[in-house]
Amino acid sequence: MNAPPAIRAEAAGRMAELRRRHPAVFAVPPGRRVAVAALVAAPLLLIAFGLWWVGASPARLWHGLGQLGTFVALMLPPDFGSVARLQLYLHALAETVAIAFLGTFTAAILAFPLGFVAARTVVGQRLVHFLARRFLDTIRGVDTLIWALIWINVVGLGPFAGVLAIMSSDIGSFGKLFSEAIEATERKAGEGVVASGGGELHRIRFGILPQVLPVMLSQVLYYFESNTRSATIIGIVGAGGIGLHLAEQIRTLEWPTVSFLVLIILAAVAAIDAVSTALRNRIVGGRVAPT
């Protein structure tokens, strides 16, 4: 709602009077201006330097877009070949989803107790907390693809190596996320359980777990959707799933088949994302109560 001109003029006059009486309050120190300018300029300069370092240029980008258009034209229309190959690809896609599912939920089960050990609000010993956090950081610091290469050499080619790779990578991520969720819980609930005569396990079961379980389930569902894409990538190096077929078709320049495989992967990821998003909304919204 606009104020009358007289009131606006009076307010402007009062502001001018305040500026005149207290110039130090309204003045911006030169050092702060320099700091703000440096804060804005530094990332821009760093990005420009990085682009120059990797050899990026508008000419290369324009040429790459032209090449991309050529590949897109070669991929159309998508083609799966024969019915037998279609069945093979669908079986491989189901294998990829299974790898993601087993790896994600196995990692969540194994990381569940580690999250409590790594939470300083549960384990007060600094040494135990430090060692647990560094252990999780070490596992999380190795990418899923590297874990896949390691497990392929340990257990051989196939989906079992893919499950172990996703499980190994996600244990560290889940452990860190779970511990942070536990540390962020409201302490009054646990204190109330202890005050009523409960022990440490009762405090965790009735004071902490009901608060963090919906958050944990939401994180696990999100990682399951994300790991479906990761399972495709590790399949390229021999960890099972549809990634192996995708890499083979790219090597043989079968671009229509490549586009078909990409489309069914996108369809599977979109379906999993829709289901997991609906479940996460129900869990976080409190309509699914933890037991």
Coordinates of all heavy atoms in Angstrom, one line a residue, residues 171-254:
I171 N 28.4 -47.3 2.2 CA 28.6 -47.5 3.6 C 29.2 -46.2 4.2 O 28.7 -45.7 5.3 CB 29.5 -48.7 4.0 CG1 28.8 -50.0 3.7 CG2 30.0 -48.6 5.4 CD1 29.6 -51.2 4.0
G172 N 30.2 -45.6 3.6 CA 30.8 -44.4 4.1 C 29.8 -43.2 4.0 O 29.7 -42.4 4.9
S173 N 29.1 -43.1 2.9 CA 28.1 -42.0 2.7 C 27.0 -42.1 3.7 O 26.6 -41.2 4.4 CB 27.6 -42.0 1.3 OG 28.6 -41.8 0.4
F174 N 26.4 -43.3 3.9 CA 25.3 -43.5 4.8 C 25.8 -43.3 6.2 O 25.0 -42.7 7.1 CB 24.7 -44.9 4.7 CG 23.8 -45.1 3.5 CD1 23.7 -46.2 2.7 CD2 23.0 -44.0 3.1 CE1 22.9 -46.4 1.7 CE2 22.1 -44.1 2.0 CZ 22.1 -45.3 1.3
G175 N 26.9 -43.8 6.6 CA 27.4 -43.6 7.9 C 27.6 -42.2 8.3 O 27.2 -41.8 9.4
K176 N 28.1 -41.4 7.4 CA 28.2 -39.9 7.6 C 26.8 -39.3 7.8 O 26.6 -38.5 8.7 CB 29.0 -39.3 6.5 CG 29.2 -37.8 6.7 CD 30.0 -37.2 5.6 CE 30.0 -35.7 5.6 NZ 30.5 -35.1 6.9
L177 N 25.9 -39.6 6.8 CA 24.6 -38.9 6.8 C 23.8 -39.4 8.1 O 23.2 -38.5 8.7 CB 23.9 -39.3 5.6 CG 24.4 -38.7 4.2 CD1 23.6 -39.3 3.1 CD2 24.3 -37.2 4.2
F178 N 23.9 -40.6 8.4 CA 23.2 -41.1 9.6 C 23.7 -40.5 10.9 O 22.9 -40.1 11.7 CB 23.3 -42.6 9.7 CG 22.6 -43.4 8.6 CD1 22.7 -44.8 8.5 CD2 21.7 -42.7 7.7 CE1 22.0 -45.5 7.5 CE2 21.1 -43.4 6.7 CZ 21.2 -44.8 6.6
S179 N 25.0 -40.4 11.0 CA 25.6 -39.8 12.2 C 25.2 -38.3 12.3 O 24.9 -37.8 13.4 CB 27.1 -39.9 12.2 OG 27.7 -39.2 11.1
E180 N 25.2 -37.6 11.2 CA 24.8 -36.2 11.3 C 23.3 -36.0 11.6 O 22.9 -35.1 12.3 CB 25.1 -35.5 9.9 CG 26.6 -35.4 9.6 CD 26.9 -34.7 8.3 OE1 25.9 -34.6 7.5 OE2 28.0 -34.4 8.0
A181 N 22.5 -36.9 11.1 CA 21.1 -36.9 11.5 C 20.9 -37.2 12.9 O 20.0 -36.5 13.6 CB 20.3 -37.9 10.6
I182 N 21.6 -38.1 13.5 CA 21.5 -38.4 14.9 C 22.0 -37.2 15.7 O 21.3 -36.9 16.8 CB 22.4 -39.7 15.2 CG1 21.7 -40.9 14.5 CG2 22.5 -39.9 16.7 CD1 22.6 -42.1 14.5
E183 N 23.1 -36.6 15.4 CA 23.6 -35.4 16.1 C 22.6 -34.3 16.1 O 22.6 -33.4 17.0 CB 24.9 -35.0 15.6 CG 26.0 -36.1 15.9 CD 27.4 -35.6 15.3 OE1 27.4 -34.6 14.6 OE2 28.4 -36.3 15.6
A184 N 21.8 -34.2 15.0 CA 20.8 -33.1 14.9 C 19.5 -33.3 15.6 O 18.6 -32.4 15.5 CB 20.6 -32.8 13.4
T185 N 19.3 -34.4 16.3 CA 18.1 -34.7 16.9 C 17.9 -33.9 18.2 O 18.8 -33.4 18.8 CB 18.0 -36.2 17.3 OG1 19.1 -36.5 18.1 CG2 18.0 -37.1 16.1
E186 N 16.6 -33.7 18.5 CA 16.3 -33.0 19.8 C 16.6 -33.8 21.0 O 16.2 -35.0 21.1 CB 14.8 -32.6 19.8 CG 14.3 -32.0 21.0 CD 15.0 -30.6 21.3 OE1 15.1 -29.8 20.3 OE2 15.4 -30.4 22.4
R187 N 17.4 -33.3 21.9 CA 17.9 -34.1 23.0 C 16.9 -34.3 24.1 O 17.1 -35.1 25.0 CB 19.2 -33.5 23.6 CG 20.3 -33.4 22.5 CD 21.6 -32.9 23.2 NE 22.7 -32.8 22.2 CZ 24.0 -32.5 22.5 NH1 24.3 -32.3 23.8 NH2 24.9 -32.5 21.6
K188 N 15.9 -33.4 24.1 CA 15.0 -33.5 25.3 C 14.2 -34.8 25.3 O 13.9 -35.3 26.4 CB 14.0 -32.3 25.1 CG 14.6 -30.9 25.4 CD 13.6 -29.8 25.3 CE 14.2 -28.5 25.6 NZ 13.2 -27.4 25.5
A189 N 13.9 -35.4 24.1 CA 13.2 -36.6 24.1 C 14.0 -37.7 24.8 O 13.5 -38.5 25.6 CB 12.9 -37.0 22.7
G190 N 15.3 -37.8 24.5 CA 16.2 -38.8 25.1 C 16.4 -38.5 26.6 O 16.4 -39.4 27.4
E191 N 16.5 -37.3 27.0 CA 16.7 -36.9 28.4 C 15.4 -37.3 29.2 O 15.5 -37.7 30.3 CB 16.9 -35.4 28.5 CG 18.3 -35.0 27.9 CD 18.5 -33.5 27.9 OE1 17.5 -32.8 28.3 OE2 19.6 -33.0 27.6
G192 N 14.3 -37.2 28.5 CA 13.0 -37.6 29.2 C 13.0 -39.1 29.4 O 12.5 -39.5 30.5
V193 N 13.5 -39.9 28.5 CA 13.5 -41.3 28.6 C 14.4 -41.7 29.8 O 14.1 -42.6 30.6 CB 14.0 -42.0 27.3 CG1 14.2 -43.5 27.5 CG2 12.9 -41.7 26.2
V194 N 15.6 -41.0 29.8 CA 16.6 -41.3 30.9 C 16.0 -40.9 32.3 O 16.1 -41.6 33.3 CB 17.9 -40.6 30.6 CG1 18.9 -40.8 31.8 CG2 18.5 -41.2 29.3
A195 N 15.3 -39.8 32.3 CA 14.8 -39.3 33.5 C 13.7 -40.2 34.1 O 13.5 -40.2 35.3 CB 14.2 -37.8 33.3
S196 N 13.0 -40.9 33.2 CA 12.0 -41.8 33.6 C 12.5 -43.2 34.0 O 11.7 -44.1 34.3 CB 10.9 -41.9 32.5 OG 11.4 -42.5 31.4
G197 N 13.8 -43.3 34.0 CA 14.4 -44.6 34.4 C 15.0 -45.4 33.3 O 15.4 -46.6 33.6
G198 N 15.0 -45.0 32.1 CA 15.5 -45.8 31.0 C 17.0 -45.7 30.9 O 17.6 -44.8 31.4
G199 N 17.6 -46.7 30.3 CA 19.0 -46.7 30.1 C 19.4 -46.1 28.8 O 18.6 -45.5 28.1
E200 N 20.7 -46.4 28.4 CA 21.2 -45.8 27.2 C 20.6 -46.4 26.0 O 20.2 -45.7 25.0 CB 22.7 -46.0 27.1 CG 23.4 -45.4 25.9 CD 23.4 -43.9 25.9 OE1 23.2 -43.3 27.0 OE2 23.6 -43.3 24.8
L201 N 20.3 -47.7 26.0 CA 19.6 -48.3 24.8 C 18.2 -47.8 24.7 O 17.7 -47.7 23.6 CB 19.7 -49.8 25.0 CG 21.0 -50.5 24.8 CD1 20.9 -52.0 25.0 CD2 21.6 -50.2 23.5
H202 N 17.5 -47.6 25.8 CA 16.2 -47.0 25.8 C 16.2 -45.6 25.2 O 15.3 -45.2 24.5 CB 15.6 -47.0 27.2 CG 15.3 -48.4 27.8 ND1 16.3 -49.1 28.5 CD2 14.3 -49.3 27.6 CE1 15.8 -50.2 28.9 NE2 14.6 -50.4 28.3
R203 N 17.2 -44.9 25.6 CA 17.3 -43.5 25.1 C 17.5 -43.5 23.5 O 16.8 -42.7 22.8 CB 18.5 -42.8 25.7 CG 18.7 -41.3 25.2 CD 19.8 -40.7 25.9 NE 21.1 -41.1 25.4 CZ 21.8 -40.5 24.4 NH1 21.3 -39.5 23.8 NH2 23.0 -41.0 24.0
I204 N 18.3 -44.4 23.0 CA 18.5 -44.5 21.6 C 17.2 -45.0 20.9 O 16.7 -44.5 19.9 CB 19.6 -45.5 21.3 CG1 20.9 -44.9 21.8 CG2 19.7 -45.7 19.8 CD1 22.1 -45.8 21.6
R205 N 16.5 -46.1 21.5 CA 15.4 -46.7 20.9 C 14.2 -45.7 20.9 O 13.5 -45.6 19.9 CB 15.0 -48.0 21.6 CG 13.7 -48.6 21.3 CD 13.6 -48.9 19.8 NE 12.3 -49.5 19.4 CZ 11.2 -48.7 19.1 NH1 11.4 -47.4 19.0 NH2 10.1 -49.2 18.8
F206 N 13.9 -45.1 22.0 CA 12.7 -44.3 22.1 C 12.9 -42.8 22.0 O 11.9 -42.0 21.8 CB 12.0 -44.6 23.5 CG 11.6 -46.0 23.6 CD1 12.3 -46.9 24.4 CD2 10.4 -46.5 23.0 CE1 11.9 -48.2 24.5 CE2 10.1 -47.8 23.1 CZ 10.8 -48.7 23.9
G207 N 14.1 -42.3 22.2 CA 14.4 -40.9 22.2 C 15.0 -40.4 20.9 O 14.8 -39.3 20.5
I208 N 15.9 -41.3 20.2 CA 16.6 -40.9 19.0 C 16.0 -41.5 17.8 O 15.7 -40.8 16.8 CB 18.1 -41.2 19.2 CG1 18.7 -40.4 20.3 CG2 18.8 -40.9 17.9 CD1 20.2 -40.7 20.6
L209 N 15.8 -42.8 17.8 CA 15.4 -43.6 16.6 C 14.1 -43.0 16.0 O 14.0 -42.9 14.8 CB 15.3 -45.0 17.0 CG 15.2 -46.0 15.8 CD1 16.4 -45.8 14.9 CD2 15.1 -47.4 16.2
P210 N 13.1 -42.8 16.8 CA 11.8 -42.2 16.1 C 12.1 -40.9 15.4 O 11.3 -40.6 14.4 CB 10.9 -42.1 17.3 CG 11.3 -43.0 18.3 CD 12.8 -43.0 18.2
Q211 N 13.1 -40.1 15.8 CA 13.3 -38.9 15.1 C 14.1 -39.1 13.8 O 13.9 -38.3 12.8 CB 14.1 -37.9 16.0 CG 13.4 -37.6 17.3 CD 14.1 -36.6 18.1 OE1 14.4 -35.4 17.7 NE2 14.5 -36.9 19.4
V212 N 15.1 -40.0 13.8 CA 16.0 -40.1 12.7 C 15.6 -41.1 11.7 O 16.0 -41.1 10.5 CB 17.4 -40.4 13.2 CG1 17.9 -39.4 14.1 CG2 17.5 -41.8 13.9
L213 N 14.7 -42.1 12.0 CA 14.4 -43.2 11.1 C 13.7 -42.6 9.8 O 14.1 -43.1 8.7 CB 13.5 -44.2 11.8 CG 13.2 -45.5 11.0 CD1 14.5 -46.2 10.7 CD2 12.3 -46.4 11.8
P214 N 12.8 -41.7 9.9 CA 12.2 -41.2 8.6 C 13.3 -40.5 7.8 O 13.2 -40.6 6.5 CB 11.2 -40.2 9.1 CG 10.8 -40.6 10.5 CD 12.0 -41.2 11.1
V215 N 14.2 -39.8 8.4 CA 15.3 -39.1 7.6 C 16.2 -40.2 7.0 O 16.6 -40.1 5.8 CB 16.1 -38.2 8.5 CG1 17.2 -37.6 7.7 CG2 15.2 -37.1 9.1
M216 N 16.5 -41.2 7.7 CA 17.4 -42.3 7.2 C 16.7 -43.0 6.0 O 17.3 -43.2 5.0 CB 17.7 -43.3 8.3 CG 18.6 -42.8 9.3 SD 18.9 -44.1 10.6 CE 20.1 -43.2 11.7
L217 N 15.4 -43.3 6.1 CA 14.7 -44.0 5.1 C 14.6 -43.1 3.8 O 14.8 -43.6 2.7 CB 13.3 -44.4 5.5 CG 13.2 -45.5 6.6 CD1 11.8 -45.7 7.0 CD2 13.8 -46.8 6.1
S218 N 14.4 -41.8 4.0 CA 14.4 -40.9 2.9 C 15.7 -40.9 2.2 O 15.8 -40.9 0.9 CB 14.0 -39.5 3.4 OG 14.1 -38.6 2.3
Q219 N 16.8 -40.8 2.9 CA 18.2 -40.8 2.3 C 18.4 -42.1 1.6 O 19.0 -42.1 0.5 CB 19.2 -40.6 3.4 CG 19.2 -39.2 4.0 CD 20.0 -39.1 5.3 OE1 20.4 -40.1 5.9 NE2 20.3 -37.9 5.7
V220 N 18.0 -43.2 2.1 CA 18.2 -44.5 1.5 C 17.5 -44.6 0.1 O 18.0 -45.1 -0.9 CB 17.8 -45.7 2.4 CG1 17.9 -47.0 1.6 CG2 18.8 -45.8 3.6
L221 N 16.3 -44.1 0.1 CA 15.5 -44.1 -1.1 C 16.1 -43.2 -2.2 O 16.1 -43.6 -3.4 CB 14.0 -43.7 -0.8 CG 13.2 -44.7 0.0 CD1 11.9 -44.1 0.4 CD2 12.9 -46.0 -0.8
Y222 N 16.6 -42.1 -1.8 CA 17.2 -41.2 -2.7 C 18.5 -41.9 -3.3 O 18.7 -41.8 -4.5 CB 17.6 -39.9 -2.1 CG 18.5 -39.0 -3.0 CD1 17.9 -38.3 -4.0 CD2 19.9 -39.0 -2.8 CE1 18.7 -37.6 -4.9 CE2 20.6 -38.2 -3.6 CZ 20.1 -37.5 -4.7 OH 20.8 -36.7 -5.5
Y223 N 19.3 -42.5 -2.5 CA 20.5 -43.2 -3.0 C 20.2 -44.4 -3.9 O 20.9 -44.7 -4.8 CB 21.4 -43.6 -1.8 CG 22.4 -42.6 -1.4 CD1 22.1 -41.5 -0.7 CD2 23.8 -42.8 -1.8 CE1 23.0 -40.5 -0.4 CE2 24.7 -41.9 -1.4 CZ 24.4 -40.7 -0.7 OH 25.3 -39.8 -0.4
F224 N 19.1 -45.0 -3.6 CA 18.7 -46.1 -4.5 C 18.4 -45.6 -5.9 O 18.9 -46.2 -6.9 CB 17.4 -46.8 -3.9 CG 16.8 -47.8 -4.9 CD1 17.6 -48.8 -5.5 CD2 15.4 -47.8 -5.1 CE1 17.0 -49.7 -6.4 CE2 14.8 -48.7 -6.0 CZ 15.6 -49.7 -6.6
E225 N 17.7 -44.5 -6.0 CA 17.5 -43.9 -7.3 C 18.8 -43.5 -8.0 O 19.0 -43.7 -9.2 CB 16.5 -42.7 -7.2 CG 16.2 -42.0 -8.5 CD 17.1 -40.8 -8.7 OE1 17.4 -40.1 -7.7 OE2 17.5 -40.5 -9.8
S226 N 19.7 -42.9 -7.2 CA 21.0 -42.4 -7.7 C 21.9 -43.6 -8.1 O 22.5 -43.6 -9.2 CB 21.7 -41.5 -6.7 OG 22.9 -41.1 -7.2
N227 N 21.8 -44.6 -7.3 CA 22.7 -45.8 -7.6 C 22.3 -46.6 -8.8 O 23.0 -47.4 -9.3 CB 22.8 -46.7 -6.4 CG 23.6 -46.1 -5.3 OD1 24.5 -45.4 -5.5 ND2 23.3 -46.5 -4.1
T228 N 21.0 -46.4 -9.3 CA 20.6 -47.1 -10.5 C 21.5 -46.5 -11.7 O 21.8 -47.3 -12.6 CB 19.1 -46.8 -10.8 OG1 18.4 -47.3 -9.6 CG2 18.6 -47.6 -12.0
R229 N 21.7 -45.3 -11.7 CA 22.6 -44.7 -12.7 C 24.1 -45.2 -12.5 O 24.8 -45.5 -13.4 CB 22.6 -43.2 -12.7 CG 21.2 -42.6 -13.0 CD 21.2 -41.1 -13.1 NE 21.6 -40.5 -11.9 CZ 20.8 -40.0 -10.9 NH1 19.5 -40.2 -11.1 NH2 21.2 -39.4 -9.8
S230 N 24.5 -45.2 -11.2 CA 25.9 -45.7 -10.9 C 26.0 -47.1 -11.3 O 27.1 -47.5 -11.8 CB 26.2 -45.5 -9.4 OG 26.1 -44.2 -9.0
A231 N 25.0 -48.0 -11.2 CA 25.1 -49.4 -11.6 C 25.3 -49.5 -13.1 O 25.9 -50.5 -13.6 CB 23.9 -50.1 -11.1
T232 N 24.7 -48.6 -13.8 CA 24.9 -48.6 -15.3 C 26.4 -48.3 -15.6 O 27.0 -48.9 -16.5 CB 24.0 -47.5 -15.9 OG1 22.6 -47.8 -15.6 CG2 24.2 -47.5 -17.4
I233 N 27.0 -47.3 -14.9 CA 28.4 -47.0 -15.2 C 29.3 -48.1 -14.9 O 30.2 -48.5 -15.6 CB 28.7 -45.7 -14.4 CG1 27.8 -44.5 -14.9 CG2 30.2 -45.3 -14.7 CD1 27.9 -44.2 -16.3
I234 N 29.1 -48.7 -13.7 CA 30.1 -49.8 -13.3 C 29.9 -51.0 -14.1 O 30.8 -51.8 -14.2 CB 29.9 -50.1 -11.8 CG1 28.6 -50.6 -11.5 CG2 30.3 -48.9 -10.9 CD1 28.4 -51.1 -10.0
G235 N 28.7 -51.1 -14.8 CA 28.5 -52.3 -15.7 C 29.5 -52.2 -16.9 O 29.8 -53.2 -17.5
I236 N 29.9 -51.0 -17.2 CA 30.8 -50.8 -18.4 C 32.1 -51.5 -18.1 O 32.8 -52.0 -19.1 CB 30.9 -49.3 -18.7 CG1 29.6 -48.7 -19.1 CG2 32.0 -49.0 -19.7 CD1 29.6 -47.2 -19.4
V237 N 32.6 -51.5 -16.9 CA 33.9 -52.1 -16.6 C 33.7 -53.6 -16.2 O 34.7 -54.2 -15.8 CB 34.6 -51.4 -15.4 CG1 34.8 -49.9 -15.8 CG2 33.7 -51.4 -14.1
G238 N 32.5 -54.2 -16.4 CA 32.4 -55.6 -16.2 C 31.7 -56.0 -14.9 O 31.7 -57.2 -14.6
A239 N 31.0 -55.1 -14.3 CA 30.3 -55.4 -13.0 C 28.8 -55.7 -13.2 O 28.0 -55.6 -12.3 CB 30.4 -54.2 -12.0
G240 N 28.5 -56.2 -14.4 CA 27.2 -56.7 -14.7 C 26.2 -55.6 -15.0 O 26.5 -54.4 -15.0
G241 N 25.0 -56.0 -15.5 CA 24.0 -55.0 -15.8 C 24.0 -54.6 -17.2 O 24.8 -55.1 -18.1
I242 N 23.2 -53.5 -17.5 CA 23.1 -53.1 -18.9 C 24.2 -52.2 -19.4 O 24.4 -52.0 -20.6 CB 21.7 -52.3 -19.0 CG1 21.3 -52.2 -20.5 CG2 21.9 -50.9 -18.4 CD1 19.9 -51.7 -20.6
G243 N 25.1 -51.8 -18.5 CA 26.2 -51.0 -18.9 C 27.2 -51.7 -19.8 O 27.8 -51.1 -20.7
L244 N 27.3 -53.0 -19.6 CA 28.2 -53.8 -20.4 C 27.7 -53.8 -21.9 O 28.4 -53.6 -22.8 CB 28.3 -55.2 -19.9 CG 29.2 -56.2 -20.7 CD1 30.6 -55.7 -20.6 CD2 29.1 -57.6 -20.1
H245 N 26.4 -54.0 -22.1 CA 25.8 -53.9 -23.4 C 25.9 -52.5 -24.0 O 26.1 -52.4 -25.2 CB 24.3 -54.4 -23.3 CG 24.1 -55.8 -22.9 ND1 24.3 -56.9 -23.7 CD2 23.7 -56.2 -21.7 CE1 24.1 -58.0 -23.0 NE2 23.7 -57.6 -21.8
L246 N 25.7 -51.5 -23.2 CA 25.8 -50.2 -23.7 C 27.2 -49.9 -24.2 O 27.4 -49.3 -25.3 CB 25.4 -49.2 -22.6 CG 25.5 -47.7 -22.9 CD1 24.4 -47.4 -24.1 CD2 25.2 -46.8 -21.7
A247 N 28.2 -50.3 -23.5 CA 29.6 -50.1 -23.9 C 29.9 -50.8 -25.1 O 30.6 -50.3 -26.0 CB 30.6 -50.5 -22.8
E248 N 29.4 -52.0 -25.2 CA 29.6 -52.9 -26.4 C 29.0 -52.2 -27.7 O 29.6 -52.2 -28.8 CB 29.1 -54.3 -26.2 CG 29.3 -55.2 -27.4 CD 30.8 -55.5 -27.6 OE1 31.6 -55.4 -26.7 OE2 31.1 -55.8 -28.8
Q249 N 27.8 -51.7 -27.6 CA 27.2 -51.1 -28.7 C 27.9 -49.8 -29.1 O 27.9 -49.5 -30.3 CB 25.7 -50.8 -28.4 CG 24.9 -52.1 -28.1 CD 24.9 -53.1 -29.3 OE1 24.8 -52.7 -30.4 NE2 25.1 -54.3 -28.9
I250 N 28.4 -49.1 -28.2 CA 29.2 -47.9 -28.5 C 30.4 -48.2 -29.2 O 30.8 -47.6 -30.2 CB 29.5 -47.1 -27.2 CG1 28.2 -46.5 -26.6 CG2 30.4 -45.9 -27.5 CD1 28.4 -45.8 -25.3
R251 N 31.1 -49.3 -28.8 CA 32.4 -49.7 -29.4 C 32.1 -50.2 -30.9 O 33.0 -49.9 -31.8 CB 33.0 -50.8 -28.6 CG 33.8 -50.3 -27.4 CD 34.7 -51.4 -26.9 NE 33.9 -52.5 -26.3 CZ 33.6 -52.6 -25.1 NH1 33.9 -51.7 -24.2 NH2 32.9 -53.7 -24.7
T252 N 31.0 -50.8 -31.1 CA 30.7 -51.3 -32.5 C 29.9 -50.2 -33.3 O 29.5 -50.6 -34.4 CB 29.8 -52.6 -32.4 OG1 28.6 -52.3 -31.6 CG2 30.7 -53.7 -31.7
L253 N 29.7 -49.0 -32.8 CA 29.1 -47.9 -33.5 C 27.6 -48.2 -33.9 O 27.1 -47.8 -34.9 CB 29.9 -47.5 -34.7 CG 31.4 -47.2 -34.5 CD1 32.0 -46.8 -35.8 CD2 31.5 -46.1 -33.5
E254 N 26.9 -49.0 -33.0 CA 25.5 -49.3 -33.3 C 24.7 -48.2 -32.6 O 24.1 -48.4 -31.5 CB 25.2 -50.7 -32.7 CG 25.9 -51.8 -33.4 CD 25.3 -52.1 -34.8 OE1 24.2 -51.6 -35.1 OE2 26.0 -52.7 -35.6

